[in-house]
Amino acid sequence: MPVSRLLYMTILLLAGSPSAPSRSTRLLHYTGEKLALLGHRYSKLDVRDLPGDALLRADFGHPAIQAALAQVAGASAVVVATPVYKAAYSGVLKAFLDLLPQFGLTDKLVLPLATGGSQSHMLALDYALRPVLSSLAARHVLPSIYATEAQVQWSEQEGLSLDQNIFQRISEGVQQLSDSLLALKKAGTHQFSPIPFSQVRCSV
């Protein structure tokens, strides 16, 4: 693991919803805020903001696509959120994941989030999205969190309101991701501990 990533481990919030605002994106940002309270830094990437033509044509030379791929490459962990349509994750998210290199998630931790109309779609994360994330060589894909529309409510007056079960699942997922990142940082720091110059011996 590069030294820069050991010192500056960041989390990427990857929003895969084609619409705004959306429940999945609000749930994603809520998760990011909880991670920030634990001392983690995060950045955001909303796939729907990328140029559609460049995304669909896999235009790797487009500056926006290059910048988005660099965000993924520079993150130590990715929290990815998507709505579920017809038992599958969103098309715009698939288009973006298809742009990643074969091992585009190497050494990264991934926390998948999804929202859908009913509990009947909850297995879409494990049967559709998780295999893709694993195929991209993610270090570890944490347990998925799925919420129905009824469990994630929004109002201009009260903001985001979560069902107690989803609140608990998010809290557990955030803590697990935080603990895993800190463990990686600790292990990496030990692995790359600097050697005092006085102990360096040269052979001729």
Side-chain angles (χ1 to χ4, degrees):
M1 184 182 296
V3 174
S4 60
R5 288 182 56 194
L6 294 173
L7 297 177
Y8 305 106
M9 303 183 86
T10 60
I11 300 169
L12 176 63
L13 305 183
L14 179 59
S17 176
S19 61
S22 72
R23 284 182 174 82
S24 63
T25 302
R26 282 173 172 148
L27 189 63
L28 176 68
H29 292 169
Y30 172 84
T31 302
E33 291 168 1
K34 293 298 182 184
L35 286 163
L37 290 176
L38 294 177
H40 297 282
R41 300 187 310 159
Y42 67 82
S43 61
K44 299 177 182 179
L45 174 58
D46 197 327
V47 179
R48 70 180 299 276
D49 290 338
L50 297 175
D53 188 61
L55 182 65
L56 295 177
R57 292 179 180 273
D59 183 0
F60 292 99
H62 195 288
I65 299 298
Q66 291 181 345
L69 295 178
Q71 274 190 271
V72 175
S76 301
V78 179
V79 183
V80 54
T82 177
V84 173
Y85 302 119
K86 299 180 180 178
Y89 58 98
S90 73
V92 292
L93 178 59
K94 183 184 188 309
F96 181 71
L97 293 178
D98 285 347
L99 296 180
L100 295 179
Q102 181 178 0
F103 303 110
L105 295 179
T106 298
D107 290 336
K108 303 183 193 303
L109 301 171
V110 183
L111 174 60
L113 310 175
T115 58
S118 69
Q119 291 289 349
S120 62
H121 296 305
M122 68 182 301
L123 294 180
L125 278 172
D126 290 331
Y127 286 98
L129 183 56
R130 180 178 289 271
V132 174
L133 299 174
S134 297
S135 72
L136 291 168
R139 174 186 288 267
H140 179 51
V141 182
L142 278 66
S144 307
I145 300 174
Y146 175 86
T148 65
E149 294 177 359
Q151 293 175 312
V152 181
Q153 296 293 321
W154 170 267
S155 72
E156 294 296 336
Q157 295 74 27
E158 300 181 5
L160 187 66
S161 176
L162 301 180
D163 172 87
Q164 181 59 37
N165 179 56
I166 297 303
F167 172 82
Q168 184 63 32
R169 293 283 309 282
I170 291 292
S171 297
E172 293 172 353
V174 164
Q175 190 63 57
Q176 184 176 1
L177 179 56
S178 177
D179 291 344
S180 298
L181 280 171
L182 292 175
L184 284 177
K185 183 174 182 179
K186 183 178 180 181
T189 301
H190 289 168
Q191 182 178 355
F192 292 96
S193 297
I195 301 174
F197 182 78
S198 60
Q199 296 181 17
V200 176
R201 291 183 172 84
C202 298
S203 58
V204 178

